[in-house]
Amino acid sequence: MTTTPEPTTPDTGLERWRLILGAAAERHTGPLGQGHAAQDAALDWLYGRDPDLARRGVRRSGTSTCRTGGDGPSPVTAIDWLDDIHRLFPKETIERLERDAVERYGIQEIVTDPAVLERVEPSPTLLRAVLRTKHLMNPQVLRLARRIVASVVKELLAKLQPEVRRAFHGTRSRKPSRVPLARDFDFRQTVRANLAHYQPAERRLLIERAHFHSRTQRHLTRWQLILLVDQSGSMAGSVIHSAVTAACLWGLPGLKTHLVAFDSNVVDLTSEVSDPVELLMRVQLGGGTDIARAVQYGADLVENPRRTIVALITDFYEGGDSYRLLRTVRGLVQQGSTVLGLAALDEDANPDYDRELAGRLAEAGAHIGAMTPGRLAEFVAERLGR
């Protein structure tokens, strides 16, 4: 009597390698199971359009990006693909796939098609894509895009606001305090002052008098923070995080915050700082870069130079007059203002900038570096606490 061999369970590790290497590896890894086959088709829809594959002679399976007539299945659309990846992959993978679709392959319908926008998962990548393409959107699409902006801004605010509060919260001082607050309890001084009341038999220390730290109070008076943000196409992440940072700093006692966006022109967005969603919907990425004009505009806003921080957020690729820029920065520093040149202002602070011009600005007296929004808030708090 012959028996039919039972089907073997696919090896999970080999299936993962098959997903990574593509159909060409199938003779070594074996075929994919039903679930992974669907994942492979979704990956192929996106990465199968990579021109490097054709140059290397790689033929991929699954849905081709070349559409021809015939009786075959309907071509997969962006909305079909989004439905598939949300069903097949975890959230972290979905965010990576959506980022590659928009930024690597320029599939703009993900942020310009109303039907797609209703299904897409809000993320910083999609927010950057919205900022780059919103000039192409009709009013209906803009309303849907605002949902992405509002969702991501809400998440960024929730992350940054506690960091800002910590930065501006009074720090402990070595001076004692007569106000008995549990958070300020001075354990070491209390033990030291009550050692005479130690009871060896019971191994207890009787506390006759507890000691507490005092806290310094930051004097936030007559300070200005002027944020000058490059809104050229490559600086989308910096624009987003500058808007959120300004919103977190807005309204702090004694701190007057300005937010100015620039490309070849200068736009003062200070009136919109309290509403970062509306602010970002007003930003238009792209255009040239005239850093000198923006810094001059910021210099004209200065009220008290010795209590002013001018934070220039840019990649330092100057399209205007670099000598005028250096002259203006040198003048601000000589007057007593603190000038920061920040090459990046996103959550990763990965800088990509013109190091030559940045070095010349440093020689003129500016502080050059890369700061996350939280570190910028700490820097401002330290200055204001002097």
Side-chain angles (χ1 to χ4, degrees):
M1 183 177 66
T2 60
T3 58
T4 303
E6 295 183 1
T8 58
T9 303
D11 186 298
T12 304
L14 289 176
E15 284 193 307
R16 288 179 180 176
W17 277 110
R18 163 61 182 80
L19 286 173
I20 294 170
L21 298 174
E26 192 162 303
R27 60 194 181 93
H28 299 289
T29 63
L32 294 168
Q34 185 174 358
H36 284 97
Q39 289 180 325
D40 184 59
L43 293 172
D44 185 76
W45 184 89
L46 179 62
Y47 297 111
R49 65 190 68 218
D50 195 325
D52 187 54
L53 294 175
R55 287 195 296 268
R56 291 188 286 124
V58 177
R59 298 183 61 187
R60 292 182 60 93
S61 61
T63 305
S64 170
T65 56
C66 177
R67 305 302 183 199
T68 59
D71 299 327
S74 300
V76 176
T77 64
I79 192 169
D80 297 327
W81 178 74
L82 281 170
D83 285 340
D84 288 341
I85 65 172
H86 279 259
R87 175 173 51 85
L88 295 168
F89 295 101
K91 182 179 179 180
E92 295 79 7
T93 306
I94 293 169
E95 291 177 355
R96 174 59 186 269
L97 293 172
E98 289 176 344
R99 181 171 73 245
D100 284 351
V102 173
E103 296 185 349
R104 185 172 175 181
Y105 299 110
I107 306 174
Q108 299 296 351
E109 59 261 41
I110 290 180
V111 289
T112 56
D113 185 331
V116 176
L117 275 173
E118 288 177 348
R119 289 168 168 77
V120 78
E121 184 75 24
S123 69
T125 294
L126 292 175
L127 174 52
R128 291 193 294 271
V130 166
L131 296 186
R132 292 190 181 105
T133 59
K134 61 187 176 65
H135 63 286
L136 304 174
M137 300 178 183
N138 60 41
Q140 177 193 2
V141 177
L142 274 175
R143 285 194 295 271
L144 293 171
R146 185 181 289 269
R147 174 183 71 92
I148 293 176
V149 177
S151 176
V152 177
V153 165
K154 181 180 179 181
E155 184 177 336
L156 292 173
L157 281 170
K159 178 181 178 181
L160 182 58
Q161 279 177 333
E163 295 183 35
V164 173
R165 282 196 294 268
R166 283 195 298 271
F168 281 85
H169 195 65
T171 56
R172 286 182 175 179
S173 168
R174 292 184 179 182
K175 296 172 59 178
S177 172
R178 295 183 180 181
V179 181
L181 294 177
R183 66 177 184 175
D184 297 331
F185 179 65
D186 188 341
F187 177 80
R188 292 180 180 274
Q189 182 59 28
T190 298
V191 171
R192 189 179 298 113
N194 292 276
L195 283 175
H197 307 297
Y198 181 65
Q199 298 179 338
E202 299 182 15
R203 303 182 68 180
R204 287 194 309 175
L205 177 67
L206 299 180
I207 297 177
E208 183 177 281
R209 180 185 174 188
H211 290 256
F212 299 87
H213 294 285
S214 66
R215 286 184 177 258
T216 60
Q217 178 64 42
R218 298 195 184 278
H219 300 285
L220 307 178
T221 55
R222 300 184 304 277
W223 273 90
Q224 277 180 288
L225 172 63
I226 302 171
L227 291 169
L228 305 174
V229 188
D230 188 341
Q231 64 173 355
S232 59
S234 62
M235 298 294 292
S238 292
V239 172
I240 294 166
H241 288 85
S242 297
V244 174
T245 301
C248 292
L249 296 171
W250 183 257
L252 285 173
L255 180 63
K256 186 176 183 180
T257 304
H258 305 261
L259 181 63
V260 178
F262 68 91
D263 42 34
S264 54
N265 297 305
V266 176
V267 182
D268 195 326
L269 299 171
T270 302
S271 61
E272 306 290 346
V273 165
S274 60
D275 185 355
V277 175
E278 186 60 35
L279 188 155
L280 288 171
M281 294 304 290
R282 285 191 56 190
V283 166
Q284 184 60 63
L285 297 175
T289 307
D290 192 338
I291 305 174
R293 176 181 291 189
V295 173
Q296 183 60 62
Y297 183 91
D300 293 340
L301 294 174
V302 174
E303 297 170 0
N304 183 345
R306 295 190 178 278
R307 288 191 175 271
T308 299
I309 299 171
V310 179
L312 173 63
I313 300 151
T314 180
D315 54 14
F316 299 105
Y317 290 104
E318 173 64 294
D321 187 343
S322 59
Y323 294 100
R324 179 189 178 193
L325 170 61
L326 292 167
R327 186 170 60 250
T328 307
V329 168
R330 190 176 294 110
L332 283 166
V333 173
Q334 289 173 350
Q335 291 172 6
S337 298
T338 299
V339 180
L340 298 178
L342 304 182
L345 189 62
D346 59 16
E347 67 276 18
D348 299 318
N350 294 319
D352 177 16
Y353 60 98
D354 185 339
R355 285 168 168 77
E356 180 183 355
L357 181 58
R360 292 164 67 191
L361 289 171
E363 293 174 358
H367 303 270
I368 305 297
M371 290 184 184
T372 62
R375 181 65 191 98
L376 176 61
E378 290 175 7
F379 182 91
V380 173
E382 290 167 4
R383 290 280 164 161
L384 271 59
R386 289 183 174 182

